[in-house]
Amino acid sequence: MIVSMILNGKKIADEVSPDMTLFQFVRKHGCYSVKCGCETTNCGLCTVFLDDQPVLSCAVLVARVSGHKVETLEGLQKEAEEFGRFIADQGAEQCGFCNPGMIMNAIAMFRELEEPTDEQIKQYLAGNLCRCSGYEGQLRGIHDFMEYKKGGVSCES
Amino acid sequence: MLRIKEFVKAESLEQAYELNQKRTNRILGGMLWMRMTNAQIQKAIDLSDLGLDKIEETEDEFLIGCMVTLRQLELHEGLNEMSEGLVRNCVEDIVGVQFRNLATVGGSLFGRFGFSDVLTAFLAMDSYVELYKGGIVPLSEFAAMKRDNDILVRVIVKKTKGHYVYQSHRNTKTDFPVLAVAASKMGDEIKVSVGARPARAVLFAAKDLTEDSVCQVAQKVVTGTNLRASKEFRSHLAKVLIGRAFVQLRGKEEA
């Protein structure tokens, strides 16, 4: 079957099998930031935006997405780089494997919540697992980024 | 591994129902549980285009389409105001936002999963399900029914005045519950729903909110053992969580 969608701003049409997932599709189209970490829809590593909402691409049939808009980290480069610097500045990532999913979901959170509290941040990012850190570095990076957005100090790294 | 031969976007409920009569065909919900099964599906039937992804509010009820996501439930102001946050509380620990943006209320309830927070919570409210052929049946009745090939079209929640609370215990924050309890007091009627026993949720009635009632209800809860907890631990938890729920209800009554 043929599906078409807007992937990172570009219209794409392709022949797919009915059981192909959105995760497999975006990887096939060069979006290698999207990774599969758990196979049980728990880790958040495969997060993409589907019509501006964060979803787990490993659990979505690409056939369902036909006619919709999909964005991966590759399509949010500027936004992701800006925030990613604050995460790196805190040394929040060790192996870095979880980072694309974490950044995607953090961006979704910043778009949805103007000034999230610590509790809201933890709640929103609960579906993104990091097995290296205790999430403290990420939390500090998020705090610094929020300060920066309010006109505070920029990140030097 | 899940294998699908053909994907069909249903154009009507009648078409979906007809297709669903064949044992090898399957209606898709959020697909979060189904994707982990080892099934061969001939035709996967998608209801996404049937306008069932909305929560409608009338004067005396909420009509929740089967394709409404758990995230929509979590963020719906009217539903959460009426249920005093019960609906939000029951879904907010289910994995993460990305998961809840996919999981549907229809999939959660139709599966009648033992671990379901959603089934546990909705049982404690004045809830009904609208089945395409079976008509409107109380959720408590539906929960006890065997799975068939009907379609769960909507969930109906009556705006019955009362107090509602939700309690659950999890080994880790986003895991399945070890035990879940939802309780409500609507007028003189007190409902206690206990889920993740680990079998599917069941509904009990209590005569009042006293300690004696806590013990009476807890004694009726049949629990079991699985990887998450033992039968004995769950039975102990039942008493603790029902007790906490009753304390909360008493507090709301007195407020």
Side-chain angles (χ1 to χ4, degrees):
Chain A
M1 64 186 295
I2 305 266
V3 296
S4 67
M5 71 180 77
I6 307 288
L7 176 60
N8 293 329
K10 285 184 193 153
K11 189 163 185 186
I12 289 186
D14 198 0
E15 174 85 34
V16 300
S17 65
D19 46 15
M20 185 185 219
T21 61
L22 178 58
F23 163 74
Q24 292 165 327
F25 183 87
V26 296
R27 295 272 305 181
K28 186 183 168 194
H29 288 274
C31 302
Y32 298 120
S33 71
V34 190
K35 292 174 282 187
C36 188
C38 69
E39 284 283 6
T40 55
T41 61
N42 264 279
C43 72
L45 210 63
C46 64
T47 302
V48 302
F49 290 170
L50 174 56
D51 294 333
D52 299 320
Q53 297 295 319
V55 298
L56 300 169
S57 60
C58 72
V60 183
L61 288 181
V62 70
R64 275 187 142 171
V65 179
S66 198
H68 292 264
K69 183 177 91 171
V70 175
E71 284 172 299
T72 68
L73 198 67
E74 286 82 355
L76 303 172
Q77 209 105 55
K78 199 168 165 231
E79 219 173 339
E81 264 176 36
E82 189 183 31
F83 170 62
R85 281 204 302 273
F86 287 85
I87 294 291
D89 197 46
Q90 288 297 335
E93 50 190 5
Q94 288 183 31
C95 79
F97 198 65
C98 69
N99 220 31
M102 185 76 80
I103 289 179
M104 286 297 285
N105 209 26
I107 289 173
M109 177 182 73
F110 294 134
R111 287 179 180 182
E112 193 177 318
L113 305 171
E114 210 166 297
E115 270 188 67
T117 61
D118 277 6
E119 195 48 46
Q120 285 174 314
I121 294 168
K122 287 176 187 169
Q123 186 71 32
Y124 206 100
L125 300 180
N128 289 84
L129 302 184
C130 170
R131 300 287 86 154
C132 301
S133 74
Y135 305 100
E136 286 301 317
Q138 283 96 334
L139 199 56
R140 286 196 304 269
I142 288 169
H143 284 156
D144 289 353
F145 179 70
M146 283 161 55
E147 279 301 313
Y148 161 69
K149 279 294 185 190
K150 281 195 290 188
V153 186
S154 174
C155 175
E156 295 302 319
S157 52
Chain B
M1 189 176 178
L2 181 71
R3 294 197 180 279
I4 298 169
K5 285 256 187 207
E6 197 183 329
F7 177 85
V8 182
K9 212 155 220 183
E11 288 169 7
S12 67
L13 279 169
E14 183 58 32
Q15 182 202 11
Y17 179 82
E18 289 300 327
L19 289 170
N20 198 39
Q21 296 318 295
K22 197 170 173 196
R23 214 171 50 88
T24 51
N25 295 348
R26 197 86 64 87
I27 297 220
L28 302 176
M31 265 196 65
L32 293 144
W33 186 250
M34 190 191 286
R35 78 171 288 271
M36 291 194 285
T37 60
N38 209 1
Q40 292 262 9
I41 297 175
Q42 194 65 32
K43 284 182 181 162
I45 308 153
D46 185 18
L47 307 179
S48 298
D49 279 358
L50 301 180
L52 295 168
D53 57 350
K54 293 175 187 69
I55 302 175
E56 293 167 56
E57 186 174 354
T58 70
E59 209 168 293
D60 49 8
E61 61 193 15
F62 291 95
L63 302 164
I64 305 167
C66 63
M67 296 303 285
V68 164
T69 65
L70 303 191
R71 185 72 176 154
Q72 282 174 272
L73 293 181
E74 184 182 352
L75 298 178
H76 196 276
E77 281 182 20
L79 189 56
N80 280 296
E81 195 182 324
M82 189 283 293
S83 67
E84 299 183 321
L86 168 79
V87 174
R88 184 186 307 115
N89 292 340
C90 88
V91 298
E92 69 185 1
D93 286 328
I94 300 175
V95 191
V97 169
Q98 310 99 305
F99 185 101
R100 301 197 293 277
N101 272 330
L102 293 172
T104 62
V105 69
S108 301
L109 293 181
F110 192 82
R112 284 157 277 197
F113 303 114
F115 54 75
S116 179
D117 289 283
V118 181
L119 179 61
T120 307
F122 276 72
L123 273 173
M125 296 192 285
D126 194 1
S127 307
Y128 303 79
V129 292
E130 181 187 332
L131 303 170
Y132 182 61
K133 290 289 174 186
I136 294 172
V137 295
L139 181 62
S140 53
E141 203 177 294
F142 176 74
M145 280 162 59
K146 277 192 176 173
R147 278 179 79 145
D148 60 13
N149 293 340
D150 208 341
I151 299 174
L152 193 162
V153 182
R154 277 181 202 86
V155 184
I156 300 162
V157 180
K158 302 277 184 196
K159 289 181 178 173
T160 307
K161 275 206 166 189
H163 294 299
Y164 303 87
V165 296
Y166 193 75
Q167 290 282 336
S168 71
H169 177 81
R170 289 168 149 82
N171 289 336
T172 57
K173 192 172 167 57
T174 58
D175 193 11
F176 289 140
V178 168
L179 198 81
V181 170
S184 64
K185 186 169 188 306
M186 296 175 271
D188 289 336
E189 187 186 18
I190 299 168
K191 287 181 177 181
V192 184
S193 161
V194 184
R197 303 173 292 122
R200 72 172 69 161
V202 281
L203 192 60
F204 302 95
K207 61 177 186 346
D208 53 36
L209 296 173
T210 60
E211 275 299 311
D212 282 350
S213 283
V214 171
C215 294
Q216 279 168 17
V217 176
Q219 273 170 7
K220 289 184 207 160
V221 179
V222 178
T223 57
T225 298
N226 69 359
L227 280 172
R228 283 181 176 76
S230 67
K231 176 182 166 63
E232 291 75 18
F233 182 56
R234 280 197 168 91
S235 293
H236 180 73
L237 261 185
K239 199 173 159 190
V240 172
L241 295 186
I242 295 168
R244 286 180 189 168
F246 279 19
V247 167
Q248 273 186 294
L249 284 177
R250 284 204 302 267
K252 287 184 178 200
E253 285 273 289
E254 286 159 15

